[in-house]
Amino acid sequence: MGISEIIAKWYHEKKRDLPWRKAETPYHIWISEIILQQTRVVQGLEYYNRFIEKYPSVIELANAPLDDVLKLWQGLGYYTRARNLHLTAQKIAFELKGQFPRTYQELLKLKGIGPYTAAAIASIAFKEPVALVDGNVFRVLSRLFCIQMPVDTKAGKQIFEKLAADILDPVKPDIHNQALMELGALICLPKNPACSNCPLIRNCKAHAEKKIELFPVKSGKIKQRIRYYNYLFIRDRDYTYLHKRTGKDIWNSLYEFPLIESDVSMKFHKLSSSQEWFALFGDRKTQVDRYPKTYKHQLTHQILYCTFYYIEVGFTLDSSTDKGLIRIPFNHLSRYAVPRIIEKYIDNLHQEGMF
DNA sequence: AAAGCGGGGGC
DNA sequence: GCCCCAGCTTT
């Protein structure tokens, strides 16, 4: 038996029961693939269920306000995915009359759909014989054939794409592709792989040479950036203020409390004498009646030290629209999509009975 | 070709 | 603490 036959047989016996494997409409496949980009299945599962329930087809998604889509996405990370999902839904619903593009090349033109996702949708939903390459496939193939080329380089990706195409079963590309990924997810794990349960143990070069832990090869390390975020939870009776993030920084399109950022850790007296503080409050009286709470928030490329100040004011911030601030009652807070760290602070306030 | 983009879980 | 997860977009 060839590799493709072996993994197909294994897949039919051992595959997980996942919701997107039931209804194979391109819409369902698409939603699942976007959610699962750089995201573990267990983490994306409930998001997928909620998404399909609220937006059963591309029409409902296209007609939804972007802020609602982002709210549903809250906590999942990589929020560009949600914005592109919405954008592409509108393109399909309104420009393509609800017709999903049916080929790899056409899918690739859509926002948020790159080589992996185009191959996944084309092969799974339309049975087009294209091989997909994701993190699982990198790992399985690098071990199977002892590929020394780093997976995180241009040249490396090309090697793996060619290899994946070579072993593809063109008759059942959907089964083949999913079987290869499932093998990576369940057996050929990054650490402590379950080689004794692997159907390809006789085919695996790395296993034969006892070099499993040496693959896949990666070239680079990423460096971290440290930032200090001073968040101002402003309490004006039952109201507070939010700000919508824009630009190319993290959390684009999400909401947060008014923020004063600095490169170094900032003491309160420094903060309250800063220009940003003055721009918000002027010389008016503020009462900071809570010791600030500081959380460390770890992102892939950044470490954020977020300090939250609870500030009571006896006035309404004027020209707040000019500063990009929106004034909202407390009980509307849950309507806004916010970063996890903001959500955690709000939860904390609830637990302390602050509302 | 490299950097930037979240958050969580396993070890 | 480090690594990785059904990657894509921008520079």
Side-chain angles (χ1 to χ4, degrees):
Chain A
M1 278 202 291
I3 289 173
S4 199
E5 292 173 80
I6 296 173
I7 60 174
K9 180 170 180 291
W10 172 85
Y11 179 71
H12 284 122
E13 292 171 4
K14 308 287 189 182
K15 69 179 176 185
R16 289 168 291 182
D17 185 20
L18 301 174
W20 46 87
R21 288 181 177 157
K22 300 197 195 304
E24 291 196 351
T25 76
Y27 175 73
H28 288 80
I29 303 297
W30 172 52
I31 298 296
S32 72
E33 292 300 343
I34 302 298
I35 286 177
L36 293 176
Q37 286 170 7
Q38 293 292 284
T39 304
R40 292 171 191 273
V41 166
V42 289
Q43 190 188 358
L45 210 46
E46 282 314 302
Y47 282 88
Y48 174 82
N49 290 333
R50 288 198 293 269
F51 226 87
I52 294 303
E53 184 175 0
K54 186 162 185 181
Y55 307 122
S57 81
V58 71
I59 304 298
E60 286 85 0
L61 180 54
N63 284 314
L66 174 58
D67 274 359
D68 287 2
V69 179
L70 285 165
K71 182 63 191 177
L72 208 52
W73 202 269
Q74 176 176 304
L76 199 51
Y78 286 155
Y79 298 92
T80 301
R81 292 184 292 174
R83 295 197 308 276
N84 283 336
L85 200 66
H86 188 241
L87 207 60
T88 293
Q90 293 182 326
K91 184 180 178 74
I92 293 172
F94 305 140
E95 290 181 35
L96 305 180
K97 300 174 182 175
Q99 287 296 305
F100 228 95
R102 303 178 66 85
T103 66
Y104 174 83
Q105 287 300 333
E106 289 299 311
L107 288 161
L108 204 49
K109 295 176 183 172
L110 300 173
K111 278 284 188 184
I113 296 185
Y116 162 78
T117 307
I121 299 173
S123 65
I124 298 172
F126 300 114
K127 320 303 178 196
E128 182 178 338
V130 286
L132 59 78
V133 182
D134 76 329
N136 291 304
V137 176
F138 278 134
R139 196 166 54 252
V140 172
L141 295 185
S142 69
R143 288 171 174 169
L144 212 45
F145 303 108
C146 285
I147 308 296
Q148 295 287 346
M149 191 78 71
V151 298
D152 55 348
T153 63
K154 185 88 168 175
K157 284 183 181 22
Q158 289 177 350
I159 297 289
F160 282 92
E161 280 167 16
K162 181 171 185 346
L163 197 52
D166 287 344
I167 67 165
L168 175 71
D169 175 358
V171 180
K172 295 177 180 174
D174 51 337
I175 302 297
H176 174 95
N177 280 333
Q178 293 183 87
L180 210 49
M181 289 192 289
E182 193 79 340
L183 191 69
L186 298 182
I187 303 289
C188 199
L189 305 167
K191 287 178 182 171
N192 304 320
C195 294
S196 57
N197 295 327
C198 182
L200 292 179
I201 190 166
R202 306 270 176 250
N203 308 69
C204 185
K205 188 174 180 191
H207 181 265
E209 298 180 6
K210 302 191 188 309
K211 292 178 179 173
I212 281 288
E213 300 293 347
L214 298 181
F215 296 97
V217 177
K218 304 213 168 181
S219 68
K221 274 201 193 307
I222 56 173
K223 46 187 170 188
Q224 296 267 0
R225 171 184 178 193
I226 299 177
R227 307 168 80 173
Y228 297 87
Y229 274 19
N230 300 289
Y231 278 121
L232 311 180
F233 180 80
I234 303 171
R235 174 164 195 175
D236 169 16
R237 288 167 310 205
D238 289 337
Y239 287 82
T240 189
Y241 294 84
L242 287 179
H243 161 256
K244 187 169 189 171
R245 293 180 68 95
T246 58
K248 293 172 183 171
D249 206 346
I250 58 174
W251 302 331
N252 182 4
S253 306
L254 268 63
Y255 293 84
E256 64 187 357
F257 297 122
L259 167 67
I260 297 178
E261 180 177 358
S262 60
D263 294 336
V264 294
S265 180
M266 222 173 181
K267 292 269 198 291
F268 175 71
H269 75 273
K270 191 87 173 177
L271 187 70
S272 60
S273 59
S274 70
Q275 191 174 337
E276 292 92 331
W277 183 282
F278 186 82
L280 277 169
F281 304 119
D283 290 324
R284 292 172 294 192
K285 181 172 162 52
T286 58
Q287 186 183 349
V288 185
D289 65 351
R290 280 288 176 286
Y291 205 75
K293 288 182 165 51
T294 298
Y295 303 89
K296 180 179 178 181
H297 192 59
Q298 178 82 55
L299 303 179
T300 301
H301 300 262
Q302 304 186 17
I303 301 171
L304 306 181
Y305 291 97
C306 300
T307 301
F308 290 86
Y309 292 89
Y310 186 101
I311 303 166
E312 292 209 49
V313 297
F315 51 86
T316 297
L317 291 188
D318 43 44
S319 69
S320 59
T321 51
D322 293 1
K323 294 166 186 149
L325 299 184
I326 54 175
R327 183 170 185 270
I328 63 159
F330 291 165
N331 58 10
H332 287 188
L333 263 178
S334 62
R335 300 181 186 183
Y336 295 85
V338 297
R340 276 294 277 147
I341 192 66
I342 300 285
E343 189 187 14
K344 282 179 182 172
Y345 179 70
I346 295 173
D347 284 349
N348 198 292
L349 289 180
H350 273 118
Q351 282 168 19
E352 295 185 356
M354 297 310 295
F355 294 126

Coordinates of all heavy atoms in Angstrom, one line a residue, chain A residues 129-167:
Chain A
P129 N -8.2 18.3 -7.2 CA -7.0 17.6 -6.8 C -5.8 18.5 -6.5 O -4.9 18.6 -7.3 CB -6.7 16.6 -7.9 CG -7.3 17.3 -9.1 CD -8.5 18.0 -8.6
V130 N -5.9 19.3 -5.4 CA -4.8 20.1 -5.0 C -4.4 19.8 -3.6 O -5.2 19.5 -2.7 CB -5.2 21.6 -5.0 CG1 -5.3 22.2 -6.4 CG2 -6.5 21.9 -4.3
A131 N -3.1 19.8 -3.4 CA -2.5 19.4 -2.1 C -2.4 20.6 -1.2 O -2.0 21.7 -1.6 CB -1.2 18.8 -2.2
L132 N -2.8 20.5 0.1 CA -2.7 21.6 1.0 C -1.5 21.3 1.9 O -1.1 20.2 2.2 CB -4.0 21.8 1.8 CG -4.5 20.6 2.7 CD1 -3.7 20.5 3.9 CD2 -6.0 20.9 2.9
V133 N -0.9 22.4 2.4 CA 0.2 22.3 3.3 C 0.0 23.3 4.5 O -0.1 24.5 4.4 CB 1.5 22.8 2.6 CG1 2.7 22.6 3.6 CG2 1.8 21.9 1.4
D134 N -0.2 22.7 5.7 CA -0.3 23.4 6.9 C 0.7 23.0 7.9 O 1.6 22.2 7.5 CB -1.7 23.3 7.5 CG -1.9 21.9 8.2 OD1 -1.2 20.9 7.8 OD2 -2.6 21.8 9.2
G135 N 0.6 23.4 9.1 CA 1.6 23.1 10.1 C 1.8 21.6 10.4 O 2.8 21.0 10.6
N136 N 0.6 20.9 10.3 CA 0.6 19.4 10.5 C 1.4 18.8 9.3 O 2.2 17.9 9.5 CB -0.8 18.9 10.5 CG -1.5 19.3 11.8 OD1 -1.1 19.1 12.9 ND2 -2.7 20.0 11.6
V137 N 1.1 19.2 8.1 CA 1.7 18.6 6.9 C 3.2 18.8 6.9 O 3.9 17.9 6.6 CB 1.0 19.1 5.6 CG1 1.7 18.5 4.4 CG2 -0.5 18.8 5.6
F138 N 3.6 20.0 7.3 CA 5.0 20.3 7.4 C 5.7 19.3 8.3 O 6.7 18.7 8.0 CB 5.3 21.7 8.0 CG 5.2 22.8 7.1 CD1 4.5 24.0 7.4 CD2 5.8 22.8 5.9 CE1 4.4 25.0 6.5 CE2 5.8 23.8 5.0 CZ 5.0 25.0 5.3
R139 N 5.1 19.0 9.4 CA 5.7 18.2 10.4 C 5.7 16.7 10.0 O 6.7 16.0 10.0 CB 4.9 18.3 11.8 CG 5.7 17.7 12.9 CD 5.0 18.2 14.2 NE 3.6 17.9 14.3 CZ 2.7 18.8 14.2 NH1 2.9 20.1 14.1 NH2 1.4 18.4 14.3
V140 N 4.6 16.2 9.4 CA 4.5 14.8 9.0 C 5.5 14.6 7.8 O 6.3 13.6 7.9 CB 3.1 14.5 8.5 CG1 3.0 13.1 7.9 CG2 2.1 14.6 9.7
L141 N 5.5 15.4 6.8 CA 6.3 15.2 5.7 C 7.8 15.4 6.0 O 8.7 14.6 5.5 CB 6.0 16.2 4.5 CG 4.6 16.0 3.9 CD1 4.4 16.9 2.7 CD2 4.4 14.5 3.5
S142 N 8.1 16.4 6.9 CA 9.5 16.6 7.2 C 10.1 15.3 7.9 O 11.3 15.0 7.7 CB 9.7 17.8 8.1 OG 9.2 17.6 9.4
R143 N 9.3 14.7 8.7 CA 9.7 13.5 9.4 C 9.7 12.2 8.5 O 10.7 11.4 8.5 CB 8.8 13.2 10.7 CG 9.1 14.2 11.8 CD 8.1 14.1 12.9 NE 8.4 15.0 14.0 CZ 7.6 15.3 15.0 NH1 6.3 14.7 15.0 NH2 7.9 16.1 16.0
L144 N 8.7 12.2 7.7 CA 8.6 11.0 6.8 C 9.8 10.9 5.9 O 10.3 9.8 5.6 CB 7.3 11.2 6.0 CG 6.5 10.0 5.6 CD1 6.3 9.0 6.7 CD2 5.1 10.5 5.0
F145 N 10.3 12.0 5.4 CA 11.4 12.0 4.4 C 12.6 12.7 4.9 O 13.6 12.9 4.2 CB 10.9 12.7 3.2 CG 9.7 12.1 2.6 CD1 8.4 12.7 2.6 CD2 9.7 10.8 1.9 CE1 7.3 12.2 2.0 CE2 8.6 10.3 1.4 CZ 7.4 10.9 1.4
C146 N 12.7 13.1 6.2 CA 13.8 13.8 6.8 C 14.3 15.0 6.0 O 15.4 15.1 5.5 CB 15.0 12.8 6.9 SG 14.9 11.6 8.3
I147 N 13.3 15.9 5.8 CA 13.6 17.1 5.0 C 14.4 18.1 5.9 O 13.8 18.6 6.9 CB 12.3 17.7 4.5 CG1 11.5 16.7 3.8 CG2 12.6 18.9 3.6 CD1 12.1 16.1 2.5
Q148 N 15.6 18.5 5.5 CA 16.4 19.4 6.4 C 16.0 20.8 6.2 O 16.3 21.7 7.0 CB 17.9 19.2 6.0 CG 18.4 17.8 6.4 CD 18.6 17.6 7.9 OE1 18.6 18.6 8.6 NE2 18.8 16.4 8.3
M149 N 15.4 21.1 5.0 CA 15.1 22.5 4.7 C 14.1 23.1 5.7 O 13.1 22.5 6.1 CB 14.4 22.5 3.3 CG 14.2 23.9 2.7 SD 15.7 24.5 2.0 CE 15.9 23.5 0.6
P150 N 14.4 24.3 6.2 CA 13.5 24.9 7.2 C 12.1 25.2 6.6 O 12.0 25.6 5.5 CB 14.2 26.3 7.5 CG 15.7 26.1 7.1 CD 15.6 25.1 6.0
V151 N 11.1 25.0 7.4 CA 9.7 25.1 6.9 C 9.3 26.6 6.9 O 8.4 27.0 6.2 CB 8.7 24.3 7.8 CG1 9.0 22.9 7.7 CG2 8.8 24.8 9.2
D152 N 10.0 27.5 7.7 CA 9.6 28.9 7.7 C 10.4 29.8 6.8 O 10.7 30.9 7.1 CB 9.7 29.3 9.2 CG 11.1 29.1 9.8 OD1 11.9 28.4 9.2 OD2 11.4 29.7 10.8
T153 N 10.8 29.2 5.6 CA 11.4 30.0 4.6 C 10.7 29.8 3.3 O 9.9 28.8 3.1 CB 12.9 29.6 4.4 OG1 12.9 28.3 3.9 CG2 13.7 29.8 5.7
K154 N 10.9 30.7 2.4 CA 10.3 30.7 1.1 C 10.7 29.3 0.4 O 9.8 28.6 -0.1 CB 10.7 31.9 0.2 CG 10.1 32.0 -1.1 CD 8.8 32.7 -1.0 CE 8.2 33.1 -2.4 NZ 6.9 33.7 -2.3
A155 N 12.0 29.1 0.3 CA 12.5 27.9 -0.4 C 11.9 26.6 0.3 O 11.6 25.7 -0.4 CB 14.0 27.9 -0.4
G156 N 11.9 26.6 1.6 CA 11.4 25.5 2.3 C 9.9 25.2 2.0 O 9.6 24.0 1.7
K157 N 9.1 26.2 2.0 CA 7.7 26.0 1.6 C 7.5 25.4 0.3 O 6.7 24.5 0.1 CB 7.0 27.4 1.7 CG 6.7 27.9 3.1 CD 5.9 29.2 3.1 CE 5.6 29.8 4.4 NZ 6.4 29.4 5.5
Q158 N 8.4 25.9 -0.7 CA 8.3 25.3 -2.1 C 8.6 23.8 -2.1 O 7.9 23.1 -2.8 CB 9.2 26.1 -3.0 CG 8.7 27.5 -3.3 CD 9.6 28.3 -4.1 OE1 10.7 27.9 -4.4 NE2 9.1 29.5 -4.6
I159 N 9.6 23.4 -1.3 CA 10.0 22.0 -1.3 C 8.8 21.2 -0.8 O 8.4 20.2 -1.3 CB 11.2 21.8 -0.3 CG1 12.4 22.5 -0.9 CG2 11.4 20.3 -0.1 CD1 13.0 21.9 -2.1
F160 N 8.2 21.7 0.3 CA 7.1 20.9 0.9 C 5.8 20.9 0.1 O 5.1 19.9 0.0 CB 6.8 21.5 2.3 CG 7.7 21.0 3.4 CD1 8.9 21.8 3.6 CD2 7.6 19.8 4.0 CE1 9.8 21.4 4.6 CE2 8.5 19.4 4.9 CZ 9.6 20.2 5.2
E161 N 5.6 22.0 -0.7 CA 4.4 22.1 -1.5 C 4.6 21.0 -2.7 O 3.6 20.4 -3.1 CB 4.2 23.5 -2.1 CG 3.5 24.4 -1.1 CD 3.6 25.9 -1.5 OE1 3.9 26.2 -2.7 OE2 3.3 26.7 -0.6
K162 N 5.8 20.9 -3.2 CA 6.0 20.0 -4.3 C 5.9 18.5 -3.7 O 5.2 17.7 -4.4 CB 7.4 20.2 -4.9 CG 7.7 19.2 -6.0 CD 9.0 19.5 -6.7 CE 9.3 18.6 -7.9 NZ 8.5 17.4 -8.0
L163 N 6.4 18.3 -2.6 CA 6.4 17.0 -2.0 C 4.9 16.6 -1.7 O 4.5 15.5 -2.0 CB 7.1 17.0 -0.7 CG 7.5 15.7 0.0 CD1 8.3 14.8 -1.1 CD2 8.4 15.9 1.2
A164 N 4.1 17.5 -1.2 CA 2.7 17.3 -0.9 C 2.0 17.0 -2.1 O 1.1 16.1 -2.2 CB 2.1 18.5 -0.2
A165 N 2.3 17.7 -3.2 CA 1.6 17.4 -4.5 C 2.0 16.0 -5.0 O 1.1 15.4 -5.6 CB 2.0 18.5 -5.5
D166 N 3.2 15.6 -4.8 CA 3.7 14.3 -5.3 C 2.9 13.2 -4.7 O 2.6 12.2 -5.4 CB 5.2 14.2 -5.1 CG 6.0 15.0 -6.0 OD1 5.5 15.5 -7.0 OD2 7.2 15.2 -5.7
I167 N 2.6 13.3 -3.4 CA 2.0 12.1 -2.7 C 0.5 12.2 -2.7 O -0.2 11.4 -2.2 CB 2.5 12.0 -1.3 CG1 2.1 13.1 -0.4 CG2 4.0 11.8 -1.3 CD1 2.2 12.8 1.1

